Amino acid sequence: AVAARAGRDVTLYARDADHAARIAAARENPRLPGIPLADSIAVTADLAQAAGADAMLIVVPAQHLRGAVMHLAPLLAHGTPLVACAKGIEHGTHKFMTEVIAEAAPQVRAAILSGPSFADDVARGLPTAVTLAAPDEALAAALVQALGSATFRPYHSTDVRGVEIGGAAKNVLAIAAGIVAGRNLGASALAALTTRGFAELVRLGRAFGARGETLTGLSGLGDLILSCAGPQSRNFAAGLALGRGEPLPAGKLAEGQYTAPVLVELATSRGVEMPVAQAVAAILSGALTIDAAIETLMMRPFKAEE
Ligand SMILES: NC(=O)C1=CN([C@@H]2O[C@H](COP(=O)(O)OP(=O)(O)OC[C@H]3O[C@@H](n4cnc5c(N)ncnc54)[C@H](OP(=O)(O)O)[C@@H]3O)[C@@H](O)[C@H]2O)C=CC1
Ligand SMILES: O=C(CO)COP(=O)(O)O
């Protein structure tokens, strides 16, 4: 929808032919009910047709990115920009999204799009600003020109890792924020949790050489603020359910669930302390109860604020 609004010729690919046919007939994606698909958007289940594009946005969940790109790789021309929109880190390999793309389709140019942007808001044409990063600044700037419009404002960057870390970490921290809300711990606790969560995100980013302005920018602090603000975030909603002792919302992808253990492994391997992320991973795995996790966080030794 964004690319069509920016004046591009767009093909939307769905892996399931019936699903693609239903979207084409209804001119609406059931995942975004009530938002009509622009007339100009072609819908296909033919991957080769989609792969002929000048650039592609790939929007499958993080743990399925490698499989999807491997499927796509034989169809892609050398140098095609492939923009990852998933926010996560691959299990087992600890790879970030652009690294997964580079391994699965070495001939393409990988980029990452991230930042505070609920799909529903973006598709409705509400004002949104995001970060689009690629190692090659000219490519990042060209993709911004191709996708930007009066309602969608991407900023270009070459800090790929900084953008990827912000997007992956904020989902885990949003689960923690939801837990705080679900347990009725109060607005002060929510502010403290979000702020100390941000300190973790920054520590991990620094360990990977991320730039300060990326971590305090749209894809870092910006997305953390959005996702820790309320249940429109599926990660926050998952945390809310956990905090209330309810089952996790069915059929709603909460990437932080999958990112939490791998984020903790990655941080540990770099000697970076991420106590909030650790608490989320421990709660999700059943290693700690929520009450024990809260106590563990509050009883850490007092220290200088950093
Ligand atoms: N929704 C949002 O507001 C935002 C989401 N993101 C990120 O985008 C990523 C995807 O999220 P979202 O779109 O919400 O997730 P959804 O679960 O709504 O949709 C996932 C899509 O990926 C497809 N898919 C799933 N597995 C595979 C696979 N193995 N091969 C090919 N296609 C597959 C699904 O196809 P099918 O319909 O056939 O199952 C579906 O179209 C996540 O990393 C999320 O963090 C980022 C910013 C905002
Ligand atoms: O990444 C998002 C907003 O920027 C979407 O957040 P959720 O996946 O938590 O809904």
Side-chain angles (χ1 to χ4, degrees), residues 85 87 114-119 167 170-171 174 223 226-227 231-237 253-256:
C85 301
K87 296 173 178 173
S114 198
S117 50
F118 289 130
K170 72 86 188 172
N171 282 335
D223 212 355
L226 178 74
S227 304
Q232 191 178 350
S233 158
R234 294 162 301 179
N235 287 285
F236 185 101
L253 173 73
E255 283 280 29

Side-chain angles (χ1 to χ4, degrees), residues 203-279:
R203 275 202 294 272
L204 186 68
R206 284 205 186 114
F208 277 87
R211 286 181 215 137
E213 58 267 35
T214 310
L215 302 171
T216 55
L218 290 161
S219 59
L221 181 60
D223 212 355
L224 184 69
I225 290 173
L226 178 74
S227 304
C228 291
Q232 191 178 350
S233 158
R234 294 162 301 179
N235 287 285
F236 185 101
L240 197 63
L242 287 170
R244 288 175 177 160
E246 294 169 359
L248 292 177
K252 297 267 182 199
L253 173 73
E255 283 280 29
Q257 255 184 285
Y258 307 104
T259 307
V262 64
L263 183 69
V264 169
E265 286 166 17
L266 192 67
T268 306
S269 73
R270 296 275 173 148
V272 175
E273 269 198 300
M274 297 193 78
V276 176
Q278 239 167 346

Side-chain angles (χ1 to χ4, degrees), residues 172-173 175-177 179-180 185 189 192-194 196-197 200 203 273-283 288-303:
V172 179
L173 300 169
I175 293 179
I179 292 173
V180 167
L185 299 183
L193 188 282
T194 308
R196 292 312 299 164
E200 293 184 13
R203 275 202 294 272
E273 269 198 300
M274 297 193 78
V276 176
Q278 239 167 346
V280 171
I283 290 167
L288 276 184
T289 63
I290 291 177
D291 291 338
I294 294 165
E295 189 179 331
T296 305
L297 285 173
M298 291 304 289
M299 296 299 288
R300 282 163 50 81
F302 300 126
K303 55 181 231 174

